Amino acid sequence: MSRSYIFSSESVGEGHPDKVADTISDAILDACLKIDLKSRVACETFVKSNVVVVGGEITIPKLQNKKLGTTKPIDEVINVGQVIRDAIRGIGYTNVDDVFHADQIFINNYLTIQSPDIAQGVDAAEAEGKKHGEQGAGDQGIMFGYACNETPELMPAPIMFAHRLGRELTRIRKAGKLAKWLRPDAKSQVSVEYVDGKPTRIVNVVISTQHTADVSHAEIEKFCIEQVIKKVLPKNMLTKDTEYLINPTGKFVVGGPQGDSGLTGRKIIVDSYGGMGRHGGGAFSGKDPSKVDRSAAYMGRWVAKNVVAAGLAAKCEVQFAYAIGHPLPVSVHIDSFGTGTISDDMILAAVLKVFSFKPADIVKQLNLLRPIYSKTTNYGHFGKIDDKDITWELTNKADALKKAAK
């Protein structure tokens, strides 16, 4: 007997308040990495109305005074205010009626240097009380990676479809030719019916997009259905019964940080697998690769994707757990949800032969010490197969896994 269920995932646009915060945090991270690739960054951002607050810990080793154990104030190294304004300008908050405007915001900067107690746990150099001389994890915690064969990106269909909608809305808005009434804040959601574990049809699509006051709801609805939904979603999955819910409240003029507060790290499910794969709880944006919340999650995606690409399973989830300052994961777990062509134990054995999970090795294998993180912020950190800088989307270990599995 076939089993049917509906699964939904959401995405948010660049102008969503939480994504504004993520964008700023990753822009500051990239600015630090451009100065020193070994920068340690943990940057959090809060936005509301016309105010931006940034805080966290930043250390740029190239500029560090080893005798004093301090660094120059971050504002003497990078122009934090300019980085923030440029990030907001890139999103599109530059309209004359924007309360949250790139050139008119007030900025509060509470960035300080990284705690030396944390630094000694992560640094490769031998420290008092450490049992090894290798780079350790930047924190304890659990991380997950996931992949499945539902889409060309080897991602779950609902989240990839939702991202496509948001990306297309942004493309049209920034092109400035069609729908000049579009504004930066937006959300999308797609519900997909699964039959026997396979996506078969799109049940409903939700789009909420900020707009100017002079456009009618009917025009917004027609545009979103005809120019966005039907152009980017699979035609064979849209049926006569598919329901379209466009700006369901009827009006969305006040948006962005003017309408709601935003905070770094509040869209972790949007950033990952739309709820289809599990999540360890750690956010990505604003963190350098020594933080395993980010780097191990990228590693997990790389491993899971290569398992699926190798044909060892139709679905694969990888879990890692780390202890702060310790160079090896305290556990690695594989789950193929019964779709494996070999046992999960055999998949795990092959994975452990092919990949190294030490934090320093993760950074090296994925070439993570680069200012690439602003590319990851919006429309998911996973599934971007057309960007060569997103190394965790490569399937370059599939053949090695096949050989190891034998």
Side-chain angles (χ1 to χ4, degrees):
M1 184 177 178
S2 63
R3 176 175 177 255
S4 171
Y5 62 90
I6 297 171
F7 196 92
S8 304
S9 294
E10 73 157 349
S11 181
V12 298
E14 297 172 20
H16 185 282
D18 293 332
K19 273 297 147 194
V20 173
D22 285 343
T23 297
I24 291 170
S25 292
D26 276 334
I28 290 174
L29 167 61
D30 278 348
C32 294
L33 291 174
K34 286 176 182 177
I35 296 171
D36 189 341
L37 295 179
K38 295 183 179 180
S39 294
R40 296 279 164 73
V41 181
C43 179
E44 309 284 347
T45 303
F46 169 80
V47 296
K48 175 57 186 165
S49 299
N50 62 342
V51 174
V52 174
V53 181
V54 291
E57 300 77 45
I58 292 178
T59 296
I60 301 178
K62 185 183 290 186
L63 306 174
Q64 186 160 4
N65 185 319
K66 294 183 179 179
K67 290 183 179 179
L68 298 178
T70 60
T71 62
K72 294 180 179 179
I74 189 65
D75 266 332
E76 291 185 17
V77 180
I78 62 172
N79 188 334
V80 173
Q82 190 62 51
V83 171
I84 291 171
R85 294 183 194 280
D86 287 347
I88 295 169
R89 189 173 293 107
I91 293 169
Y93 282 112
T94 56
N95 300 291
V96 293
D97 56 346
D98 285 335
V99 170
F100 185 80
H101 190 290
D103 298 321
Q104 298 168 13
I105 53 168
F106 294 92
I107 298 172
N108 297 307
N109 180 359
Y110 300 104
L111 295 167
T112 63
I113 65 169
Q114 185 185 51
S115 160
D117 293 343
I118 295 176
Q120 75 170 3
V122 179
D123 288 341
E126 192 76 38
E128 183 180 354
K130 285 188 71 174
K131 298 179 179 179
H132 52 78
E134 298 183 79
Q135 177 180 327
D139 201 354
Q140 72 173 54
I142 59 173
M143 302 86 202
F144 289 90
Y146 182 83
C148 60
N149 62 2
E150 295 177 11
T151 64
E153 299 89 351
L154 301 186
M155 285 282 288
I159 187 65
M160 288 310 299
F161 294 166
H163 286 328
R164 288 183 196 176
L165 296 172
R167 191 179 290 111
E168 182 65 6
L169 275 172
T170 298
R171 187 195 68 77
I172 292 171
R173 174 175 61 83
K174 290 186 174 181
K177 295 179 180 179
L178 294 174
K180 294 183 179 180
W181 42 264
L182 282 171
R183 289 294 182 263
D185 197 356
K187 299 180 77 173
S188 58
Q189 183 174 286
V190 179
S191 300
V192 176
E193 182 181 31
Y194 284 75
V195 177
D196 292 335
K198 296 182 179 182
T200 59
R201 69 183 181 99
I202 295 172
V203 177
N204 56 61
V205 180
V206 184
I207 290 180
S208 294
T209 181
Q210 187 186 8
H211 58 86
T212 60
D214 59 354
V215 63
S216 70
H217 182 270
E219 183 179 349
I220 296 170
E221 186 174 48
K222 181 180 180 181
F223 172 81
C224 287
I225 294 173
E226 300 299 328
Q227 300 299 319
V228 181
I229 295 172
K230 290 185 177 180
K231 289 199 173 180
V232 302
L233 297 187
K235 290 180 173 58
N236 64 316
M237 295 188 70
L238 293 171
T239 73
K240 60 181 178 61
D241 297 320
T242 300
E243 182 180 22
Y244 303 110
L245 300 168
I246 311 300
N247 280 17
T249 62
K251 185 180 179 181
F252 189 3
V253 174
V254 177
Q258 179 187 359
D260 196 3
S261 60
L263 191 65
T264 300
R266 278 206 300 210
K267 286 293 175 282
I268 57 176
I269 300 304
V270 171
D271 286 345
S272 52
Y273 307 102
M276 187 73 78
R278 285 176 283 192
H279 198 293
F284 303 151
S285 290
K287 297 177 181 179
D288 75 85
S290 73
K291 280 72 171 175
V292 285
D293 276 343
R294 187 168 210 161
S295 57
Y298 290 175
M299 181 69 177
R301 166 63 178 168
W302 189 40
V303 172
K305 188 172 184 180
N306 275 273
V307 168
V308 174
L312 301 182
K315 296 180 182 179
C316 181
E317 184 178 75
V318 184
Q319 188 211 45
F320 305 79
Y322 287 93
I324 189 169
H326 193 66
L328 288 170
V330 295
S331 70
V332 181
H333 172 68
I334 296 282
D335 190 345
S336 70
F337 306 97
T339 69
T341 56
I342 58 176
S343 71
D344 289 355
D345 287 342
M346 292 177 69
I347 295 174
L348 177 59
V351 163
L352 292 175
K353 287 180 182 178
V354 173
F355 300 96
S356 172
F357 301 108
K358 294 181 180 180
D361 291 343
I362 291 174
V363 170
K364 187 179 299 183
Q365 290 170 107
L366 293 176
N367 194 16
L368 295 179
L369 288 179
R370 294 173 293 149
I372 59 170
Y373 296 99
S374 291
K375 291 185 174 187
T376 70
T377 314
N378 294 293
Y379 314 115
H381 289 242
F382 310 123
K384 295 175 178 174
I385 59 176
D386 295 326
D387 193 326
K388 63 181 181 180
D389 285 332
I390 312 299
T391 51
W392 49 96
E393 290 300 317
L394 297 174
T395 54
N396 53 341
K397 294 295 183 180
D399 288 341
L401 278 173
K402 288 179 186 178
K403 293 178 181 178
K406 293 179 181 179

